[in-house]
Amino acid sequence: MDLQPYIPGLSPADPGPLSRFIPPLEENVISAWLPPHAPAGSWVLDPFGFSPRLVLEAARAGYRVLVTVNNPITRFLLEMSANPPSESDFKAALADLAVVKKGEERLAAHLQSLYITVCEKCEKEIQAESFLWRKGEDAPYARIYKCPHCEDSGEHAATQDDMDRAKRIAATDGLHRSRSFERVVELKDEDRVYAEEAIEHYLPRPLYFLTTVINRLDGLKLTPERKRALSAMILLACDAGNTLWGYPSERLRPKQLNIPNQFREHNLWMMLERGLSLWTETGSGVVVEAWPRKIPEIGGICIYEGRLKDLAHEVKKEIPIAAVVGSVPRPNQAFWTLSALWAGWLWGREAVEPYKVALRRRRYDWAWNATALNAAFLHLFELLPLGTPFFGLLPEPEPSFLTSALTAAGAAGFDLQSLALRTEHDPIQLLWTRGEHLKREANESDMDAVREAIQTHLIERGEPASYLHVHAAGLIELTKAHALKQKNQEFDEALRGTQALIQKALSGDERFVHYSTGENVDTGMWGASQEQGRGDPAPTIGDSLSDRIEVAIVTFLQKNPDSIYLEIEDDLYPRFPGLLTPSKAMIYAVLTSYAEKDKSRWRLRPEDVANARRTELNTIIAMIEAVGTRLKYATRKEEKNYLWETLAAEGGGKSQVTKAFYVLASALIGRAISETTYPPEQAIIVIPGGRAGLVSYKAQRDPSLAARVKSYQLVKYRLLRTLFEVPVLTRETFEEQIASDPLEKSKSQMMMF
Ligand SMILES: [Zn+2]
C-alpha cells in the first residue's frame, strides 16, 4: 500500500453554528483532494451528509455534489450555509419577534425579564448572561453577568430573588413540558416516553422561553426568507437551552445525553441575538436543489433527504459518480436525539416522523456503527463503477472508530489505498477504491504479520508512537490481508477479535517497549526495543522522526526563506506520508527554535543561517581546546568527539580520556548520543541556547529519548563562552559550573503533540 501524504488544511476561523456537534474538519482539504481525482463539473457523492462545510466546499470547488441527509437538522444547516438569508432578513425577523405582544408587554421585554438579576456592586437591575446550576437542584447557585452600568462582571453567588424567580417559572413547568413534546410526537405515540426523556435535558426556564418563542413562530406573518432566518436563530437557542453545558470544565463535544454535575444555563435572549452574527458569517452563493432536480455543471448541491439505500438504484441509472467524499459518521446519541426534538419543535411532527428512530435508540456502540457503515458501503458498492475513489475523513479518531470504518468498508468490497494519520486530534484521511465484483476470500488473521507491520512502522519512525499509530499500522496489515472480518462473522465479534489481536501482538512481544503509567495496552506510547531479541539481531534504528523533521524544515528554510506555514507543510508532508505525518506542534517547535516570523513569513534567525552556524561551531570547538589547555588537558578529535586527555606526565606516563565533547548546532540529540562512544559520565553534549527548548520538547514527547538524555550532561554554548572568560578556572570549578547549567524547561506553553 502506497500511503499518501496528509493534505494540510486550515482550521476554520469561525466554528459555525452547532459546531460542537458537527465533525471538526479543516478547510481546503476536500477542494485540494478533488481536482486530481475527479474532473471539474463531475458528480461527487457524499453518502453521509454529516458535514455541511465539506459539501459546500466541494460545490464551491466546481463539483456537482449529491448528498444524502436523513437528519432534518443537518439538512437545514446545509441549506442555510449554502444559501443563507440576508443579514437584513435576520435582523428584521428578530425585530418582528421582539415586538409581538405578550399580555401588556412586548415579547422581548417579557423574555428578557426572565433573566433579571441585581448587580452586586451598583445594585441596578441587569440581565444575567447565565446562571450556574448543580445537577438535581431546584434553583441556581450562581450567576454570571457583565454590568452595563458599572465595571462589575464575572461569577457571583445567586441571590434569593434569583432562586425565587427560577422556582416561580418551574411552578408552571408541566404545561410547557407537555406542549413541547406534543410538537414532537402524539400523546398516544409509543415513542412519547423517549421524547419526554429527551426533554428532561431542558430546565423549566429555557423550556418556557423556547415554547413561547416557537408558538409565536407559527403566528408571525413572515416572508419565507425571514421565517428561515428566525428558525435558524431559534435552533441555536434550542441548543444553548439544554443542560449539556458543563461548568467550568466544559465538555466541548458531547456525545451522550448526560447532565454534567455543574452546568451553565444560558440567557436565551442573548443567544438569539448572538445567533444572528453566527449565521450571517457563514457565507453564501451555492445552488441547492432537492433530488431529482438537476444542478448546473459549474457546481452546486443536490440534496436527497432520506437513506442511501432508497437512492442507490436511481443514481446508478442516471448519474455517473466520479468520486465519493464524506466525513465518516460516528455515533452521537446526544445530537441525534436532540435533532429529532428540535425538528419537531421547529417544523412539527411530520418533520420528525422519518427520523423518529433517533429518539428511541439509547445506546450506540462500535459494532452498531460498523454494521450501519457496512450497509452504506454495500449500497455504494452497487452504485459505483469499479475503481471509483472514496476519500473519507475520520474525525476525532480513536482506535475503535478506525477499526469500525476499515472493517465495514473492507467487508463491502472497498480496497484501502491510503491512510494518513497526523495526531489523535486531527481527522484521519482515508482513501478507498471500489473493488472488484468477486467473492473475496476472508483470511485468518496472522499475529506474526501484525507484529512485523507494527515493528516495521516503529523502526521507520525511530521513536515511540501513540497507541493509535501502532493500532493503525496493525489495522493496515489486517486490511491488506482481508483478515478484519471472517465470513458470516458478526461485526461485534470481528471488532473485538481485531482489538484483542492487536493488543496481544503488542503486549506479548519483547520487540516492543511500553511507555505508560497505566496498565492498559492502549494508553501511553509504544516503541521498538533496541535490545537484541531471542535469536534476532537488534534492529538498526536510524534518526528519529522528529530529528528528520527538524532537518527537513531547516533545509527547506535555508533554500526558501520567507515561506509561509502552509508552504512548509506542503513541502514536508510528502516527505513524511501516511503514519509519519508530522504534527503541527512539532513543526512549530522547530520553527520557533530556528526561525522568526515576520507577518506570516518564516525565515531562519541570522545566527541559524548555515554559514553563521558553522563559524560559531568552530569558535566553540576552539574554546573547548583553549579551556582544556588551561585545565592542563590535551584535546584530541576522535570521529565527532573532542576528547580531553590528561597529559602523559600526570597519569604516570599514560594519558587518560576524562571528557568527550560533542558539539551540536541542531537539536539532533538522539544522533549525538548514539555517536558519543564514551560513557555518559564523561560525555558533554554542547548545544546552542536556542536549541534547548526544542531538545526538551522532544524529550517530553519521546519517553525513550527522555530516559537517554537524562544521563548525559548537556551544556549550552553560552556557558562555554563564560568559562572561557573566567580568569581563574580549576578542574573543580569547571565541574561545578557545567553541573549548574540545566536544560531549560520550555518556557512557552507548547502544544505537546
Ligand atoms: Zn453594576
Side-chain angles (χ1 to χ4, degrees):
M1 200 180 301
D2 184 20
L3 297 186
Q4 297 292 304
Y6 200 82
I7 301 174
L10 291 170
S11 309
D14 148 40
L18 300 187
S19 57
R20 63 183 184 148
F21 293 122
I22 301 298
L25 303 181
E26 286 189 322
E27 291 177 329
N28 301 349
V29 172
I30 209 74
S31 52
W33 181 82
L34 274 170
H37 294 91
S42 55
W43 281 94
V44 170
L45 171 65
D46 177 350
F48 306 125
F50 268 48
S51 168
R53 285 184 177 217
L54 179 142
V55 172
L56 199 59
E57 190 182 314
R60 287 210 172 109
Y63 291 86
R64 291 183 279 182
V65 188
L66 174 61
V67 51
T68 59
V69 194
N70 76 329
N71 179 336
I73 296 298
T74 323
R75 180 197 165 132
F76 181 68
L77 289 179
L78 178 56
E79 287 172 336
M80 284 294 294
S81 48
N83 203 356
S86 67
E87 192 175 345
S88 59
D89 279 328
F90 275 99
K91 286 185 173 154
L94 190 61
D96 285 352
L97 179 74
V99 300
V100 173
K101 280 283 191 296
K102 166 83 185 172
E104 290 298 297
E105 321 176 81
R106 285 179 169 189
L107 190 64
H110 172 68
L111 294 174
Q112 286 171 310
S113 74
L114 302 173
Y115 299 98
I116 280 178
T117 192
V118 171
C119 172
E120 196 126 302
K121 201 164 156 207
C122 72
E123 298 187 345
K124 291 203 168 96
E125 278 199 345
I126 56 169
Q127 291 267 303
E129 279 177 8
S130 44
F131 290 102
L132 304 179
W133 291 72
R134 292 193 188 93
K135 184 176 172 176
E137 294 186 353
D138 62 354
Y141 70 90
R143 62 217 160 109
I144 292 175
Y145 63 74
K146 212 179 284 151
C147 177
H149 308 291
C150 69
E151 303 283 276
D152 201 31
S153 68
E155 183 183 331
H156 296 274
T159 65
Q160 193 58 48
D161 277 353
D162 295 333
M163 298 183 204
D164 291 345
R165 182 169 287 109
K167 286 179 194 168
R168 261 201 317 278
I169 297 167
T172 63
D173 185 50
L175 176 69
H176 307 293
R177 210 157 278 269
S178 56
R179 213 187 257 169
S180 65
F181 67 67
E182 277 165 36
R183 278 187 79 93
V184 184
V185 287
E186 280 183 75
L187 267 176
K188 54 181 193 304
D189 194 309
E190 54 182 7
D191 287 329
R192 201 187 92 168
V193 54
Y194 301 112
E196 282 179 22
E197 269 176 39
I199 294 172
E200 286 302 305
H201 296 273
Y202 285 82
L203 288 172
R205 176 164 34 204
L207 198 65
Y208 171 74
F209 183 107
L210 291 168
T211 48
T212 306
V213 167
I214 288 163
N215 278 333
R216 301 304 159 115
L217 178 64
D218 298 335
L220 280 172
K221 287 197 175 55
L222 295 173
T223 65
E225 280 305 275
R226 288 187 186 175
K227 186 158 185 181
R228 239 159 49 94
L230 190 55
S231 306
M233 290 185 281
I234 296 172
L235 174 61
L236 296 196
C238 287
D239 185 35
N242 56 48
T243 51
L244 302 182
W245 297 92
Y247 182 89
S249 57
E250 326 232 340
R251 259 180 71 208
L252 290 172
R253 305 186 53 80
K255 305 278 186 299
Q256 295 288 323
L257 283 177
N258 290 329
I259 301 181
N261 288 330
Q262 288 192 142
F263 58 90
R264 186 195 283 270
E265 181 205 349
H266 293 106
N267 177 325
L268 292 191
W269 185 263
M270 288 183 178
M271 285 312 204
L272 270 187
E273 291 178 328
R274 229 193 71 188
L276 194 152
S277 61
L278 252 186
W279 282 111
T280 49
E281 277 163 18
T282 51
S284 64
V286 171
V287 176
V288 183
E289 295 285 0
W291 174 266
R293 299 252 290 272
K294 295 295 184 290
I295 42 180
E297 243 179 76
I298 52 156
I301 298 168
C302 178
I303 298 180
Y304 181 79
E305 185 163 13
R307 296 178 165 279
L308 188 61
K309 95 174 161 209
D310 306 318
L311 177 71
H313 68 281
E314 290 183 69
V315 168
K316 199 177 179 182
K317 274 188 301 192
E318 295 184 31
I319 291 184
I321 300 290
V324 181
V325 297
S327 178
V328 181
R330 60 176 295 152
N332 192 325
Q333 180 245 353
F335 181 53
W336 297 350
T337 309
L338 291 172
S339 290
L341 201 60
W342 300 337
W345 288 352
L346 288 169
W347 306 299
R349 282 178 216 144
E350 306 73 52
V352 192
E353 199 53 43
Y355 194 67
K356 223 167 59 177
V357 62
L359 278 177
R360 213 173 298 154
R361 192 168 252 286
R362 281 282 162 269
R363 293 178 53 80
Y364 299 89
D365 56 18
W366 292 114
W368 178 89
N369 186 250
T371 311
L373 279 177
N374 180 248
F377 276 107
L378 285 169
H379 296 307
L380 282 175
F381 187 90
E382 286 310 314
L383 73 86
L384 296 174
L386 177 69
T388 309
F390 182 153
F391 184 59
L393 295 161
L394 190 119
E396 301 174 86
E398 53 186 287
S400 305
F401 186 14
L402 186 60
T403 310
S404 162
L406 295 189
T407 309
F414 281 79
D415 297 325
L416 183 67
Q417 304 294 342
S418 175
L419 185 163
L421 162 59
R422 193 161 61 188
T423 76
E424 61 204 78
H425 308 290
D426 306 296
I428 295 179
Q429 299 180 351
L430 296 160
L431 178 62
W432 289 284
T433 47
R434 194 273 209 190
E436 300 265 8
H437 208 132
L438 44 90
K439 291 263 174 284
R440 196 177 275 150
E441 287 296 308
N443 297 313
E444 288 289 329
S445 52
D446 176 354
M447 168 96 70
D448 285 337
V450 169
R451 283 188 171 137
E452 201 108 321
I454 292 175
Q455 196 197 20
T456 304
H457 171 62
L458 288 175
I459 289 173
E460 194 182 7
R461 199 175 182 90
E463 63 185 28
S466 75
Y467 177 75
L468 181 61
H469 281 86
V470 293
H471 187 90
L475 280 180
I476 291 171
E477 173 57 34
L478 291 167
T479 307
K480 276 195 291 195
H482 301 292
L484 282 172
K485 180 176 172 293
Q486 302 306 305
K487 227 173 159 187
N488 304 326
Q489 197 181 24
E490 294 291 327
F491 277 99
D492 180 31
E493 200 189 329
L495 299 191
R496 272 189 285 119
T498 300
Q499 168 155 327
L501 177 83
I502 294 177
Q503 301 202 348
K504 200 170 163 206
L506 279 168
S507 52
D509 196 312
E510 60 195 9
R511 280 176 290 184
F512 305 121
V513 189
H514 194 197
Y515 303 94
S516 172
T517 47
E519 302 246 309
N520 291 345
V521 174
D522 59 357
T523 57
M525 301 184 90
W526 285 90
S529 169
Q530 307 201 22
E531 315 261 307
Q532 193 173 332
R534 259 174 314 190
D536 306 320
T540 327
I541 297 184
D543 281 346
S544 68
L545 178 63
S546 44
D547 285 0
R548 273 137 60 203
I549 291 167
E550 178 183 334
V551 171
I553 294 175
V554 175
T555 310
F556 178 77
L557 282 182
Q558 294 278 15
K559 291 188 193 141
N560 307 277
D562 297 315
S563 295
I564 61 167
Y565 182 81
L566 273 178
E567 291 166 339
I568 299 166
E569 270 186 332
D570 271 339
D571 175 76
L572 209 54
Y573 286 177
R575 298 173 193 276
F576 302 98
L579 300 181
L580 300 177
T581 310
S583 70
K584 281 179 186 284
M586 180 74 225
I587 299 174
Y588 275 115
V590 175
L591 285 176
T592 43
S593 176
Y594 282 90
E596 52 200 8
K597 195 162 86 165
D598 182 16
K599 305 221 166 66
S600 56
R601 306 198 163 271
W602 291 91
R603 81 167 29 228
L604 292 173
R605 293 206 174 80
E607 69 268 26
D608 280 314
V609 175
N611 298 339
R613 264 296 161 222
R614 217 168 296 128
T615 312
E616 202 187 10
L617 199 73
N618 290 333
T619 311
I620 293 297
I621 292 166
M623 283 177 175
I624 291 174
E625 205 165 344
V627 172
T629 308
R630 286 171 60 192
L631 298 179
K632 304 215 160 42
Y633 294 125
T635 305
R636 172 165 72 85
K637 188 177 182 209
E638 183 184 277
E639 290 179 355
K640 296 194 173 170
N641 297 274
Y642 290 86
L643 309 176
W644 275 357
E645 290 178 325
T646 52
L647 301 177
E650 185 183 337
K654 232 179 132 195
S655 62
Q656 272 186 331
V657 173
T658 59
K659 294 279 178 232
F661 291 87
Y662 189 104
V663 188
L664 274 174
S666 65
L668 302 184
I669 203 80
R671 187 192 287 181
I673 290 173
S674 66
E675 289 179 349
T676 297
T677 41
Y678 287 83
E681 56 276 12
Q682 287 188 346
I684 296 179
I685 297 172
V686 193
I687 58 169
R691 290 299 96 78
L694 182 55
V695 171
S696 43
Y697 168 78
K698 284 185 183 177
Q700 274 174 49
R701 65 191 284 287
D702 177 349
S704 137
L705 180 68
R708 275 175 288 151
V709 166
K710 219 163 57 185
S711 50
Y712 281 85
Q713 184 68 56
L714 261 65
V715 164
K716 281 168 244 157
Y717 284 11
R718 195 172 47 231
L719 182 79
L720 272 180
R721 277 201 206 92
T722 314
L723 293 179
F724 180 72
E725 306 278 332
V726 173
V728 184
L729 187 66
T730 64
R731 291 181 181 181
E732 289 70 33
T733 50
F734 177 82
E735 293 291 343
E736 282 165 22
Q737 288 295 317
I738 58 163
S740 67
D741 189 29
L743 186 63
E744 71 176 3
K745 293 272 170 257
S746 49
K747 278 177 249 148
S748 53
Q749 289 261 326
M750 276 199 199
M751 294 181 277
M752 259 305 283
F753 298 99

